[in-house]
Amino acid sequence: MGGEVLDHSGLGRSQLEMNNAAEAEATLQKLVSLNPMFSSAYYYLGKAQAANYKNAAAIASYRKEIENSPDKKVNLLLHIAAVQAEMAKTQPAAM
């Protein structure tokens, strides 16, 4: 299982770097199902979800990463704020 987890981690990050967010999201979903405590797994999953305009899912993934890696909280809160700002842009204005 360890090698498979590492394979999914590297593949998911590479897919993100190549702007292939849909495939990255699927790969990273598999990674977190194999090892939910894998370092940075939810961070990269959140990035993929945000790139796929799945903002609520991205925020949930970033929050899960905060649970797994509290030392990264400030950075992850900035990512959450960025996703929330993007969500605000796409919501219709209140009348």
Side-chain angles (χ1 to χ4, degrees):
M1 180 169 115
E4 186 176 2
V5 167
L6 290 175
D7 290 345
H8 281 84
S9 174
L11 178 60
R13 287 185 303 203
S14 294
Q15 290 166 328
L16 267 175
E17 289 172 7
M18 295 173 24
N19 295 319
N20 199 343
E23 286 185 26
E25 183 180 357
T27 300
L28 293 161
Q29 284 284 5
K30 178 73 173 176
L31 171 62
V32 298
S33 73
L34 291 170
N35 185 349
M37 298 301 291
F38 190 83
S39 178
S40 300
Y42 284 99
Y43 167 74
Y44 287 107
L45 177 58
K47 286 184 68 149
Q49 291 164 325
N52 286 323
Y53 305 102
K54 296 179 180 176
N55 296 324
I59 289 170
S61 292
Y62 289 141
R63 287 184 175 149
K64 185 68 177 171
E65 185 67 27
I66 289 170
E67 291 175 24
N68 290 349
S69 303
D71 58 311
K72 299 177 186 174
K73 184 176 183 176
V74 172
N75 183 43
L76 291 160
L77 288 174
L78 291 172
H79 283 284
I80 289 171
V83 171
Q84 289 171 330
E86 192 61 34
M87 289 172 73
K89 287 184 200 175
T90 60
Q91 293 177 349
M95 297 203 174

